[in-house]
Amino acid sequence: MDHSAPGPAARALSMVRRHRVFAAAFGVGAVLRLITMLGYGPAMWFNDSYEYVSVALHPRPHPIRPDGYSFWLMLLKPFHSFTLVVLTQHLMGLATACLIYALLRIKFRLPKWGATLAAAPVLFDAYQIQLEQLVMSDTMFMLLVVGVITMVLWKRRLTWQAGAVIGLLLALTWLTRSIGLPILALVVLYLLVKRTGWRPITAVITACAIPVLAYMGWFASAYGKFAMTNSDGLILYMRTAIFADCNKMDIDKYTEVQLLLLCINDPVNQRKDYAQWYLWGQGNGDGTGTGEVLHRWGTNKKFSEITNEAASKFATRAILSQPGDYLQVVVRDFFRSFHWARPRFPDESTYNMYQFKPYYEIDENGQPKRLPKWSSYAGGRTDTDAFSYEQGPPETKIVHPWADIMSGYQKVFYLRGIVIGGILLIGLYGVAVRWRKFGGPVVLPWLGAFGLLLAPAATAEFDYRYVLPAVPLACIAAAITLRRGVTSARRSPKSAGTSGPTTLRVRWSRRSARDKATRS
């Protein structure tokens, strides 16, 4: 028995010493997350959070979004702890940073400080940490996407077994957020261009299709439609409602009555400047306001198959009839990602949900606000479902001084939009100089980042939380682009022409191998 072999603790300590720069950054990121949990426990809430919890308690396909994140909440339900939920999400954020570092350091041979720098936005961005504290699917989605990209780029030759794992991760990505479908298409296209072979590509598609088709079958049993949601057409309608002019859309008033019902009576130049109003707004209460267009179908009918299909036809007609107006709103929302500051968009309420506030919001009675009392699509009520999941008060408790620390930290330490734009431009340069190889390994993370920023602008509306999952992919693309300059800068002209200890060892090993071959 070999007693000289180091134990697990010694090996872990040795690894930390070898990667001390990343280990230090990882430690600071972990401390920031601990402070967040102490200051804003058990969790922070967004408007969508309550529906995720309700589905976890009353399992059924949700008409608006896939249930992947709710399945995760369901697995954690026996512990009755939102603190545990956000802890797992903070671990997901830290795991994402580890994947970035490992990919860049081991696969692409970046120096330790360079790979750490690429992971820094995930570790230190205050809005990233705040998103992890929210009961939301975005952190899980980000980890899955980075995991897929890491596995695809890791090996030059992909086996069918690895392809099956990638396919399962893509299925989880798709079940977490609907944008997983374009990511699947991007990965398959990359593998085809790379000439990976039919076995791994078939494994990717098959392993992804089985869980997704099973979910769609479950959805069909509840709604009579083989699909993932009943909301894609309505969300696209929301996107086009800002500019849609029925006078330009050539709608037949005799055969297309459903499209006429979706026309907005208010003049285009008097409409809201954010699209979410046209799906979630309550209108003026008199049946004539712009927010009433979908609500007059009834809250239980709005996300039905009939309404969704009519909204999809209306949105498609609006885009084809007014392509210039559509392109204008898409470009405008896409470039919102690159502002220096964070303008209050789409509205004050949504903007504030991404803030570390060191104070309680007060209701009309001067008391801290409780969770809203909405009826959920899963069959429960938002406040009572959250209480049932936690087995106690689920409202966010603001604790000083931890809340003050993170509130002050958020004012300074976050990735500015213009910096994200610069990172994307570096990656674009990397794709351009590798045009003979169709962008090489840079193209996959770069197109992933670009797509994650463009898709909301094209199909829904800009939201700050949609930017964060794109940042790790943009950093990976930029780091791979810069790796040649970084690694060559470490070599001086003098050392490039001389034989260092490593070179001598390699030459000695080769000479010994030749001598053994000759003797044999």
Side-chain angles (χ1 to χ4, degrees):
M1 182 175 180
D2 185 8
H3 294 281
S4 62
R11 290 196 297 270
L13 183 60
S14 176
M15 180 177 293
V16 169
R17 287 173 177 170
R18 291 198 307 272
H19 304 280
R20 59 175 61 90
V21 176
F22 178 74
F26 183 93
V28 173
V31 169
L32 290 170
R33 285 158 172 82
L34 176 61
I35 294 173
T36 298
M37 293 183 67
L38 292 173
Y40 297 92
M44 300 181 75
W45 296 88
F46 193 79
N47 286 337
D48 297 346
S49 304
Y50 315 111
E51 292 291 336
Y52 287 122
V53 175
S54 293
V55 170
L57 292 174
H58 316 284
R60 63 171 297 182
H62 199 280
I64 302 175
R65 59 188 67 86
D67 286 352
Y69 180 65
S70 292
F71 294 155
W72 179 249
L73 296 181
M74 200 182 305
L75 289 175
L76 300 179
K77 184 176 64 173
F79 298 97
H80 296 294
S81 174
F82 285 117
T83 299
L84 178 61
V85 170
V86 298
L87 173 62
T88 62
Q89 292 177 181
H90 288 307
L91 293 176
M92 290 176 189
L94 294 172
T96 301
C98 290
L99 286 176
I100 296 170
Y101 179 82
L103 176 67
L104 297 176
R105 177 68 186 143
I106 299 173
K107 169 64 178 177
F108 293 102
R109 304 296 181 185
L110 258 75
K112 297 171 185 177
W113 67 265
T116 302
L117 184 63
V122 176
L123 289 172
F124 301 136
D125 189 305
Y127 287 96
Q128 169 65 40
I129 298 171
Q130 195 271 345
L131 188 63
E132 295 169 14
Q133 189 69 13
L134 285 166
V135 181
M136 290 291 287
S137 65
D138 300 84
T139 303
M140 182 178 179
F141 173 79
M142 179 182 68
L143 174 62
L144 290 169
V145 171
V146 173
V148 167
I149 299 301
T150 299
M151 286 201 66
V152 173
L153 294 181
W154 194 270
K155 291 186 177 181
R156 186 179 298 274
R157 301 296 299 177
L158 198 67
T159 64
W160 72 265
Q161 294 93 335
V165 175
I166 291 170
L168 288 173
L169 290 177
L170 284 166
L172 292 174
T173 303
W174 193 353
L175 292 172
T176 303
R177 277 183 55 187
S178 298
I179 200 174
L181 174 59
I183 294 174
L184 168 65
L186 176 62
V187 168
V188 171
L189 179 62
Y190 177 81
L191 294 177
L192 286 171
V193 171
K194 192 181 173 183
R195 298 181 180 178
T196 303
W198 66 269
R199 289 180 183 271
I201 294 176
T202 302
V204 169
I205 297 174
T206 303
C208 180
I210 292 173
V212 169
L213 291 175
Y215 182 87
M216 294 172 74
W218 185 41
F219 189 91
S221 68
Y223 297 99
K225 177 184 178 183
F226 197 73
M228 295 284 285
T229 67
N230 266 338
S231 64
D232 53 338
L234 287 160
I235 292 174
L236 189 60
Y237 170 84
M238 174 184 84
R239 169 74 288 176
T240 60
I242 289 181
F243 64 84
D245 187 347
C246 287
N247 294 324
K248 299 179 181 179
M249 292 168 59
D250 192 26
I251 298 176
D252 191 319
K253 63 181 180 180
Y254 298 107
T255 61
E256 298 178 311
V257 177
Q258 285 186 329
L259 300 190
L260 287 175
L261 290 174
L262 292 170
C263 289
I264 298 172
N265 296 326
D266 290 356
V268 173
N269 59 2
Q270 293 182 8
R271 296 183 190 176
K272 298 286 184 180
D273 60 354
Y274 56 96
Q276 292 185 23
W277 169 261
Y278 297 95
L279 186 59
W280 306 111
Q282 298 298 323
N284 299 324
D286 58 2
T288 60
T290 54
E292 299 284 359
V293 174
L294 290 175
H295 279 275
R296 67 190 179 199
W297 293 69
T299 54
N300 295 327
K301 300 286 187 180
K302 183 164 64 171
F303 289 99
S304 66
E305 180 182 357
I306 295 175
T307 311
N308 187 57
E309 290 184 358
S312 179
K313 291 179 182 178
F314 182 95
T316 303
R317 183 76 61 86
I319 293 170
L320 296 177
S321 301
Q322 301 170 254
D325 295 327
Y326 173 68
L327 183 62
Q328 181 180 355
V329 297
V330 171
V331 170
R332 183 188 66 185
D333 266 21
F334 177 75
F335 279 99
R336 290 187 195 276
S337 303
F338 310 121
H339 288 186
W340 172 256
R342 289 173 67 96
R344 296 178 181 272
F345 186 88
D347 55 35
E348 187 76 15
S349 175
T350 304
Y351 177 89
N352 286 333
M353 290 180 189
Y354 301 130
Q355 303 298 313
F356 283 125
K357 299 184 291 293
Y359 56 86
Y360 286 101
E361 291 188 1
I362 305 300
D363 62 18
E364 61 275 7
N365 298 319
Q367 299 296 322
K369 280 190 176 181
R370 300 295 183 183
L371 297 186
K373 299 178 181 180
W374 301 333
S375 296
S376 71
Y377 289 96
R381 204 178 75 182
T382 54
D383 57 335
T384 55
D385 281 346
F387 188 95
S388 176
Y389 189 99
E390 176 73 11
Q391 293 290 289
E395 289 84 5
T396 305
K397 300 175 182 65
I398 295 176
V399 180
H400 304 283
W402 315 112
D404 304 271
I405 293 173
M406 292 311 299
S407 178
Y409 180 86
Q410 191 177 40
K411 295 176 182 177
V412 179
F413 293 98
Y414 65 92
L415 194 65
R416 301 279 181 171
I418 195 170
V419 179
I420 298 173
I423 294 171
L424 273 178
L425 288 176
I426 293 172
L428 179 59
Y429 171 78
V431 173
V433 297
R434 293 168 175 82
W435 65 272
R436 293 182 183 276
K437 297 181 178 181
F438 301 99
V442 182
V443 71
L444 180 61
W446 189 87
L447 283 178
F450 182 81
L452 288 175
L453 293 177
L454 180 62
T459 61
E461 185 174 48
F462 169 83
D463 196 305
Y464 286 111
R465 67 186 175 94
Y466 296 148
V467 176
L468 292 173
V471 171
L473 301 185
C475 289
I476 290 172
I480 298 172
T481 299
L482 295 174
R483 67 177 175 138
R484 291 184 179 178
V486 171
T487 53
S488 63
R490 297 171 63 195
R491 299 181 181 179
S492 64
K494 182 178 179 180
S495 63
T498 60
S499 298
T502 302
T503 305
L504 291 175
R505 284 197 296 270
V506 171
R507 289 178 179 174
W508 184 86
S509 299
R510 290 174 178 171
R511 187 179 299 114
S512 299
R514 286 197 300 270
D515 292 342
K516 290 180 180 178
T518 302
R519 287 196 298 270
S520 61

